[in-house]
Amino acid sequence: SLPFVRVQCVPSSIPPLPAFFLQSVMQQESSYYASKMQPYGVPLDDRKLFTKLDWSSWVAAMGNAQQFDAIFQKLYRFANETPSRVPLSDWYFTDTGVVKGFRARPVVGGLYVKALLK
């Protein structure tokens, strides 16, 4: 069995995103996501037009302030306009805002990733 290792993570010990990704990679990804933007966000992949709220937040955190705002405006629009009146979902269609599944899950904490990375 693997030994238990306790890891203490405090915000000051988390390196900035460029330490994880090259700036050129972050820019290329951000440009790609902007080109795929739908009324309620960026699709998770090219098979279907659904997305994950927490994933979208991480994608937004990789971009510059303008890209972050563009993605978060779509997340806000989804939360405000979704015809599926259920507790906040993290899995929904980006073209209609209709919830695919998952409701009120703790992964919506991913909305705060930008604050953690500062």
Side-chain angles (χ1 to χ4, degrees):
S1 71
L2 297 173
F4 177 75
V5 177
R6 177 170 289 201
V7 177
Q8 183 176 0
C9 183
V10 294
S12 62
S13 69
I14 299 172
L17 276 176
F20 293 114
F21 304 104
L22 294 174
Q23 188 63 35
S24 61
V25 171
M26 291 172 55
Q27 182 57 48
Q28 181 180 16
E29 290 289 309
S30 294
S31 296
Y32 177 78
Y33 297 140
S35 76
K36 300 299 180 186
M37 189 73 74
Q38 296 289 315
Y40 296 98
V42 180
L44 187 61
D45 63 35
D46 61 358
R47 295 173 293 174
K48 300 278 185 183
L49 289 176
F50 55 68
T51 196
K52 296 271 290 100
L53 190 76
D54 51 320
W55 174 83
S56 296
S57 182
W58 281 92
V59 167
M62 283 180 31
N64 60 32
Q66 180 183 7
Q67 293 159 332
F68 178 84
D69 289 346
I71 291 173
F72 259 79
Q73 286 174 3
K74 302 296 184 171
L75 298 180
Y76 174 82
R77 182 176 182 194
F78 158 70
N80 195 45
E81 297 179 5
T82 179
S84 307
R85 301 316 299 169
V86 298
L88 186 60
S89 173
D90 60 293
W91 189 21
Y92 65 92
F93 288 96
T94 58
D95 58 336
T96 63
V98 171
V99 168
K100 171 75 173 153
F102 305 151
R103 291 167 177 83
R105 295 182 342 133
V107 298
V108 298
L111 290 172
Y112 300 101
V113 68
K114 186 75 167 183
L116 178 66
L117 293 174
K118 285 194 172 206

